[in-house]
Structures are given as C-alpha cells and as structure tokens.
Amino acid sequence: MPASLSGKWEMISNVNFDNYMIALGISASLRKIAAKLTLKKKIERQEDQFIVKTTSTFRNYTVTFKVGQEFNEFTKGLDNRHLKSLVRWEGNKLICEQTGEKKNRGWTHWIEDDKLHLELFCEGQVCKQVYKNVSKTR
Ligand code: 1AG
C-alpha cells in the first residue's frame, strides 16, 4: 500500500477550487474549463528531489524541487507568475511556501488513508483536493 507520496494519483474530490482560482485572478472562462477537469499527479522522488507532474486533458504543469532549497517557480499555464518557492517537511506533510505577488500562497501534500491529500492556498482561500492511487502494481 502506498505509504509515500510517490506514484500515480487521480483526483476524486476538489473543494473550493473556484475560489482559489479567483484568488489567483484566473478569468471566468478559464475557471469554467478548469472546474471540469479530473487532475492527475505523478510524483517521483529521489531522496530529497521531487518531480511533481500535474496533468489533465487541457493543460499540464511540472515542478521539480529539492526539499529545503529555495527555487524559482514559474506557474506556466496556470496564473503565469514568477515565485520564490520553498518546500519543507513538517512531520509527514510536505509544505510549499510560494512567495510572490500573492500573499499567503502555497500548498501542502500528505498521505491519509492511502489517499494523496492536497491543500492549495492563496490569500485566505483553501482548495482541498483528494487523489486516489492509480499506480500499477506488479
Ligand atoms: C500545484 O500543485 C498546482 C497544479 O502546484 C495545478 C492545480 C490547480 C490549478 C491551479 C490554478 C488554476 C490556474 C489556471 C487554470 C488553468 C488550468 C487548469 C489546471 C491545469 C492543471 C495542470 C501543487 C503540487 C505541485 O502538486 O505542483
């Protein structure tokens, strides 16, 4: 059973995504498309390095980082902003702080009941997503 974030995941719930996107300044037409997507994640980990790929039928987004090492993030195809991002562990939660134009922005990933949990936050809005594991087991 998946005890780590690594693997393939498919979204099964998505709460308050619209308000999160509004906080990011995403247009109504784009939000309408985004709201209908079933997002997938592929998370690869090699020691302190992570590659997180978010994919959908509409757009894809990949971020690569090392835990504890600040990096420049460009949210290409999302809100297209340049951020200074820093990911750290807090217990078994992987927490990213995204510093830039938007205040109190970031995300938290953790595993609970074999599901991948994600909170995306921006300026007081919190979007909560849950993903089921769809890694091939053989
Ligand atoms: C992320 O996840 C965010 C990944 O960093 C994308 C999740 C939600 C989309 C965010 C904002 C919406 C902006 C524009 C709408 C356009 C496209 C719809 C979504 C496209 C998905 C690729 C945290 C972590 C590591 O997993 O990235």
Side-chain angles (χ1 to χ4, degrees), residues 17 21 24 26 34 41 52 54 59 61 63 77-78 107 109:
F17 189 37
M21 290 192 287
L24 286 175
I26 306 300
K41 299 264 183 198
V52 182
T54 306
R59 280 180 193 170
Y61 182 71
V63 65
L78 305 179
W107 52 259
H109 267 302

Side-chain angles (χ1 to χ4, degrees), residues 5 7 28 32 44 57 59 75 80 86 92 99 108 116 125:
L5 301 172
K32 192 175 173 182
E44 295 174 281
T57 52
R59 280 180 193 170
T75 57
N80 296 301
L86 177 62
N92 48 17
T99 307
T108 300
L116 176 72
Q125 292 298 327

